[in-house]
Amino acid sequence: MLRVTDHGLYCEAGDFYIDPWRPVDRAVVTHAHGDHLTWGCAAYLVASDGASVARERLGNWATGLDHQPYGATRVINGVRLSFHPAGHILGSAQVRVEHRGEVWVVSGDYKTDPDPTCAPWEPVRCHTFITESTFGLPIYQWPSPSASAAQINAWWARNAADGVVSVLCGYALGKAQRLLAMLDPSIGPIFTHGAVERMTTLYREAGIALPPTRTVPLGDKADRTAFHGALVLAPPAVTGTSWLRRFGESRVAFASGWMRVRGARRRRGVDMGFVVSDHVDWPQLLDAIDATGASRVWVTHGFTGAVSRWLEARGFETRAIATRWDGEQEEAAVE
Ligand SMILES: [Zn+2]
């Protein structure tokens, strides 16, 4: 029902692409990160919860944007298409397609850990499951989100006591809002970089409860005393730039699944790393695959070879499929 073309995953019967890599006439999109949402398509279909962030990311290309609630079905040339929560970021969806009794599910990016900023992942029964594998190696196992939150708040409180500003970096869409929901606002004021604040506003408009934030003023005119004891949420791109100078003395941390690996923190030139990921870790990946009941699993976005070999050894019919990006290169494309 689906096949890989040089524009991405294509459903011939329905004549649409899922997360195409290049502009196409009709794109069905799992979520608004840059490695899944390509500019220049004539028409986009996304889950309703993700329409506002997709519109923000598409800018002038958003005129062809349509949306459909989780669980609702639309029939396109006889193909039944529906979205189901992926638990990755606001509005992230798995795409279920059914044609002549055969069911395929495309996961997009997903996680099964609890996250108050988006609808929780749901297993969807299918014959063929196309899964991401961003962290598909046994070394990737996440601490509980509450343990990570406690670490982040303890780091912030320590910095505040030292009179140093805490700068916490994470992707502007999704990760920053999840981190914000983990913060204890009794420690001090929370500031946001403008790119983070734009997305945070859309989350609030979608009804997601988040602690109050203030945007870091443009230019260098800000009064430094306003940042006393503060935590600043910013995209990873600010690391090592002059943007940080306005805070006086600061410590910079990065929150990502990549922080699980020794050396990752040093390579990024940050003072601290927190393991917070919006993807499944290795055991969660295997559990999620089991929960779909699929006998055929295609693996994409990440450690495709390792995961597909593991599945093959356990009797799954499997295949690794290429994407435009791989590993940490893909991570850069997210922004
Ligand atoms: Zn993503």
Side-chain angles (χ1 to χ4, degrees), residues 31 33 88 109:
H31 67 291
H33 279 153
H88 175 59
D109 291 342

Side-chain angles (χ1 to χ4, degrees), residues 22-192:
R22 298 196 177 100
V24 297
D25 283 343
R26 185 142 51 174
V28 174
V29 175
T30 61
H31 67 291
H33 279 153
D35 50 338
H36 293 260
L37 176 63
T38 294
W39 291 350
C41 298
Y44 295 91
L45 182 64
V46 299
S48 300
D49 284 15
S52 63
V53 290
R55 200 173 291 121
E56 168 74 22
R57 276 285 159 99
L58 285 170
N60 291 336
W61 291 107
T63 48
L65 182 71
D66 193 5
H67 59 88
Q68 161 175 326
Y70 291 134
T73 299
R74 164 180 313 217
V75 182
I76 305 172
N77 303 335
V79 177
R80 296 169 63 81
L81 182 150
S82 55
F83 290 119
H84 304 270
H88 175 59
I89 63 168
L90 182 65
S92 63
Q94 304 174 77
V95 178
R96 181 188 186 276
V97 286
E98 180 180 350
H99 187 56
R100 294 179 181 156
E102 201 187 332
V103 179
W104 290 53
V105 170
V106 179
S107 75
D109 291 342
Y110 66 104
K111 73 170 175 294
T112 56
D113 264 341
D115 175 354
T117 66
C118 62
W121 180 82
E122 284 173 10
V124 182
R125 304 287 293 180
C126 55
H127 302 105
T128 306
F129 185 49
I130 303 183
T131 184
E132 63 133 323
S133 58
T134 307
F135 294 103
L137 287 179
I139 51 163
Y140 291 107
Q141 301 200 22
W142 309 147
S144 76
S146 57
S148 297
Q151 276 180 3
I152 292 168
N153 285 311
W155 173 75
W156 178 16
R158 219 160 44 235
N159 294 340
D162 292 348
V164 174
V165 172
S166 304
V167 179
L168 180 58
C169 297
Y171 310 135
L173 168 57
K175 181 61 63 62
Q177 292 73 34
R178 187 176 180 212
L179 293 170
L180 177 55
M182 290 178 168
L183 296 177
D184 173 2
S186 73
I187 298 170
I190 303 170
F191 283 85
T192 50

